[in-house]
Amino acid sequence: MKEKCFANGRIIDVEKGCLRPETEIWVEDGRITRLSRGQAPQDAVDLRGSVVLPGLFNVHTHIQFDSTPAGAVIYASQPRFTLSAVKNLRKYLDSGVTYIRDMGGADYVDLELRNMVREGLVPGPEMAASGKNLSATGGQSWQNGVEVDGKDACIRAVREQCKKDADWIKLMASGGSKTPRTSRYAPQFSLEEMQTVVEEANRLERGVAAHAMGGESARFAAMAGVTSIEHGYFLEEETLDLMAEKGIYYVPTLAISYFLRNNRGKPGVTEEMADKAERDLEVQRRSLLAARERGVVLCVGTDACSPYNDHDGTGHELAAMCECGLTAAEALRAATVNSAKLCGVFAERGSIAPGKRADFALFAENPLEDIAAITRCAAVIQNGKFVKNFDSAGENPQKND
């Protein structure tokens, strides 16, 4: 395939946190071959002066669950789940997200759609998937998970997910709001059980993502050596120190509280819910800043499917991070470089450099100056082709070959 030039774009260097002068991006066979300045040919693809970011990541998704005012509907037929997932994959792509890590669903819909995206049968971001989450009996999200108790059951459950070809193991280390009478902070598994899950997953070359709202559940997960801690509303100093020491990534999913607070008074969001979300967001802010202070690597995930937290809302997670005290450059790094490293794909994705996939998210305004610009994606290029054109508004995009 002939080398193609994308010109008249302003690249954000996400590693350095700065905007480069107008640069040409040369692409062949879906990969960046070189960068140049002042060498654009007459047939170059005009990026219209857009700010160009590498395709964004969202490393905590649930593609088959829709966001409704009441939250996710987690009981549905496989056809309905599949249709929802296809629709939601398109939402991620149109909002500039070209890689997701799906964190659990029902009936292994995520694993099949991951393969279909790779085969070109379904449009969507490249994805890693975790199959069914591992829950203690009666624990968080047991309805769509695998209930396990004891070391032997943990080993078998990990092996079963790997047999299904899951890329990640999702461990429900704590309770949460979706399962009544479970604690958000108390461990759902013993430390020994968590260690067993991590050891077996690592032996089979999988990472472990731990749903842990904080407190002792997050401390146990960190002691066990999970790859990432999800949510982490209340992270104690000991937990944060362990995370920094062991290189455990932190995916705060601020969007859950952010959207609840911002939709106060709308259907499904009572004053009590909004007040609680506001308090939660303050607790999360403290954990986020303490994690940054200790050098814990921050990533971007939204846990989309809670009320008003839809699958096109990744940019709002970055806005919430900045509201909590991060700089725009730090938030953008979390959504690109850091998340790519968590997913083990930084050699391929997460920045704009020769040899990497030609996946770009384009914006009319500079998110380094106003992070809200990240919520308004103008166009998307995946593997060197437009999948959302400037004029398409996300529907029936013109594809540039």
Side-chain angles (χ1 to χ4, degrees):
M1 184 180 290
K2 179 185 174 184
E3 191 178 38
K4 178 167 54 179
C5 178
F6 293 92
N8 192 23
R10 298 171 292 156
I11 296 173
I12 289 184
D13 185 327
V14 286
E15 294 186 89
K16 294 180 180 178
C18 62
L19 187 68
R20 294 180 184 173
E22 287 188 357
T23 304
E24 294 98 36
I25 308 171
W26 296 80
V27 173
E28 187 173 6
D29 293 330
R31 289 186 181 273
I32 302 167
T33 55
R34 57 193 172 103
L35 304 175
S36 66
R37 290 192 63 199
Q39 298 179 22
Q42 286 191 342
D43 63 351
V45 179
D46 185 7
L47 298 184
R48 307 186 184 184
S50 301
V51 174
V52 185
L53 276 163
L56 303 176
F57 280 67
N58 188 320
V59 298
H60 193 124
T61 72
H62 296 282
I63 56 168
Q64 65 194 65
F65 301 140
D66 285 336
S67 173
T68 70
V73 175
I74 59 174
Y75 307 105
S77 67
Q78 190 177 75
R80 183 175 290 274
F81 273 148
T82 302
L83 288 173
S84 292
V86 170
K87 174 189 65 179
N88 293 331
L89 285 172
R90 181 81 246 181
K91 288 184 178 182
Y92 283 110
L93 203 55
D94 286 344
S95 60
V97 175
T98 58
Y99 194 104
I100 63 173
R101 185 182 64 151
D102 203 59
M103 288 277 90
D107 301 326
Y108 299 106
V109 168
D110 56 341
L111 301 183
E112 191 64 37
L113 282 174
R114 172 201 62 192
N115 297 341
M116 293 175 73
V117 168
R118 290 176 183 172
E119 293 165 20
L121 299 174
V122 173
E126 173 69 14
M127 61 186 288
S130 61
K132 291 189 177 183
N133 54 260
L134 273 55
S135 301
T137 295
Q140 172 72 356
S141 296
W142 63 266
Q143 300 93 336
N144 285 318
V146 179
E147 291 179 290
V148 292
D149 304 288
K151 289 179 61 177
D152 289 346
C154 287
I155 291 171
R156 184 171 186 82
V158 170
R159 292 177 181 175
E160 186 66 29
Q161 296 311 298
C162 293
K163 176 184 174 182
K164 295 285 188 180
D165 199 25
D167 303 298
W168 283 79
I169 300 300
K170 173 73 176 300
L171 176 67
M172 310 307 281
S174 77
S177 59
K178 288 193 175 107
T179 308
R181 303 186 72 174
T182 63
S183 168
R184 299 203 297 174
Y185 301 115
Q188 298 281 287
F189 292 91
S190 69
L191 175 58
E192 184 180 44
E193 287 172 320
M194 291 193 203
Q195 289 171 331
T196 299
V197 168
V198 171
E199 288 168 7
E200 189 64 13
N202 290 173
R203 187 183 70 79
L204 295 172
E205 299 182 342
R206 267 71 166 188
V208 177
H211 163 106
M213 305 297 275
E216 192 174 32
S217 69
R219 181 164 58 84
F220 274 19
M223 290 171 69
V226 299
T227 312
S228 64
I229 287 180
E230 316 293 308
H231 314 305
Y233 282 34
F234 177 68
L235 297 178
E236 299 162 332
E237 290 184 6
E238 179 183 352
T239 302
L240 289 166
D241 289 340
L242 281 168
M243 291 173 69
E245 176 189 335
K246 297 186 176 187
I248 296 170
Y249 294 83
Y250 177 28
V251 186
T253 63
L254 305 172
I256 303 168
S257 301
Y258 178 85
F259 279 111
L260 277 171
R261 183 203 63 184
N262 289 358
N263 287 280
R264 179 188 297 271
K266 291 187 178 178
V269 183
T270 65
E271 288 294 319
E272 183 181 1
M273 290 169 65
D275 287 344
K276 179 178 177 296
E278 194 156 10
R279 292 193 300 270
D280 281 345
L281 200 57
E282 174 58 26
V283 171
Q284 289 177 283
R285 183 189 69 82
R286 292 196 293 268
S287 289
L288 184 72
L289 295 181
R292 179 183 68 173
E293 183 180 340
R294 285 167 169 80
V296 175
V297 181
L298 307 172
C299 298
V300 165
T302 57
D303 198 15
C305 70
S306 57
Y308 296 96
N309 179 14
D310 206 353
H311 295 270
D312 57 1
T314 303
H316 293 276
E317 178 74 12
L318 279 71
M321 284 179 152
C322 291
E323 180 184 316
C324 288
L326 266 60
T327 66
E330 288 172 325
L332 291 171
R333 195 175 303 120
T336 53
V337 174
N338 296 357
S339 292
K341 290 180 177 178
L342 165 62
C343 295
V345 296
F346 186 60
E348 295 267 318
R349 304 170 185 276
S351 64
I352 296 175
K356 296 202 173 188
R357 302 301 314 180
D359 290 354
F360 314 125
L362 280 59
F363 301 87
E365 304 153 282
N366 183 1
L368 287 171
E369 296 177 351
D370 179 9
I371 196 61
I374 203 72
T375 66
R376 300 184 289 273
C377 184
V380 181
I381 295 168
Q382 185 182 42
N383 293 322
K385 300 177 182 179
F386 277 101
V387 291
K388 175 185 177 182
N389 209 303
F390 290 102
D391 303 317
S392 69
E395 296 182 5
N396 300 317
Q398 304 167 27
K399 292 191 177 180
N400 182 292
D401 296 319

